Amino acid sequence: MSLGARLAAVGLGVAVSAALIVYYILGYLIVQPPNVAASGSAQHARLTLQTVASLGFGPHRDWVSYLAKEDTGKWVHSTVLTVPANTLVTVTLYQYDTATGLRNPYFGGPRGLVGDMLVNGTPTKTLDPDLASHTFAIPDFGVSVPLKGVADNAKNQCSVAPCTLAEAHETITFTFRTGKRGDYRWQCFVPCAAGFILGFGGPMQSLGYMDGILHVV
Ligand SMILES: [Cu+2]
């Protein structure tokens, strides 16, 4: 091969490599988690979620994350949810992560719910903030719910999502009423970014992990 042909081949290789890098970076930045629609009726919708300590796959396999259950029963790695407007929504949330404790004890009190939060079936007015693992919050609807964590020494803890009911978990159930149509942000406020600078960022502010969008339609 002549020098010119060799240089051309090297140049082509560099160009292809650069194009692939740009392709993967763009793909990473614009990836949107799939939408999961609420089940139930038009008058009373239902969402089933789980919170896992570490996802176990993908680019952030060690990140804490939510998953959402489709009507078919399949768990999806997503926090993009669709619910009807001006409707009661009952959330059943299986919590597999251990407790980290809330930085602000105020968050131990559920807010914005219709009726009591149930922790493993027991109506609970306030959760001891030391027992909380995360908070489920929809600021625009005034909803904030502390999520009880599993004990550090619990047997059979889940390490790869989706977790099953056979693994150690706490079940939190609560109901809120949606407002008017629109797109709303929901997320964990504390404390799942504890390992990140200033306690923010990471999974706490990443769509598909602990940050989500609620499409109210
Ligand atoms: Cu959290």
Side-chain angles (χ1 to χ4, degrees):
M1 194 186 283
S2 71
L3 181 60
R6 267 188 220 170
L7 286 175
V10 169
L12 181 66
V14 169
V16 168
S17 301
L20 279 174
I21 289 168
V22 169
Y23 173 80
Y24 283 117
I25 290 175
L26 280 180
Y28 177 77
L29 290 177
I30 64 177
V31 66
Q32 264 277 359
N35 180 66
V36 176
S39 59
S41 67
Q43 289 74 38
H44 196 155
R46 293 181 185 280
L47 290 171
T48 307
L49 307 173
Q50 66 172 254
T51 311
V52 300
S54 58
L55 188 60
F57 57 83
H60 303 296
R61 53 190 303 127
D62 60 339
W63 276 14
V64 58
S65 187
Y66 275 108
L67 286 88
K69 199 176 191 180
E70 286 184 335
D71 215 7
T72 59
K74 183 184 168 205
W75 285 103
V76 181
H77 180 218
S78 180
T79 54
V80 179
L81 310 170
T82 298
V83 295
N86 302 305
T87 302
L88 290 176
V89 178
T90 293
V91 181
T92 301
L93 206 155
Y94 302 112
Q95 217 293 116
Y96 291 88
D97 199 4
T98 51
T100 313
L102 300 174
R103 297 189 193 107
N104 183 341
Y106 177 80
F107 289 118
R111 292 285 182 276
L113 301 185
V114 178
D116 283 336
M117 141 179 106
L118 304 181
V119 179
N120 299 317
T122 303
T124 304
K125 296 284 185 199
T126 305
L127 184 74
D128 178 342
D130 291 340
L131 302 181
S133 185
H134 299 283
T135 49
F136 173 97
I138 315 169
D140 286 303
F141 294 157
V143 170
S144 176
V145 186
L147 306 178
K148 189 184 181 198
V150 297
D152 282 337
N153 60 357
K155 289 193 171 71
N156 198 22
Q157 289 189 33
C158 174
S159 58
V160 177
C163 303
T164 69
L165 291 179
E167 289 160 302
H169 65 282
E170 308 285 343
T171 304
I172 299 100
T173 314
F174 55 90
T175 299
F176 66 94
R177 185 179 292 280
T178 59
K180 62 182 184 186
R181 292 178 183 189
D183 292 337
Y184 303 89
R185 205 77 183 212
W186 68 276
Q187 70 173 118
C188 176
F189 268 109
V190 285
C192 60
F196 292 80
I197 191 160
L198 302 180
F200 292 98
M204 198 158 141
Q205 294 186 347
S206 299
L207 270 186
Y209 290 85
M210 298 308 281
D211 187 4
I213 291 175
L214 194 68
H215 295 303
V216 179
V217 297

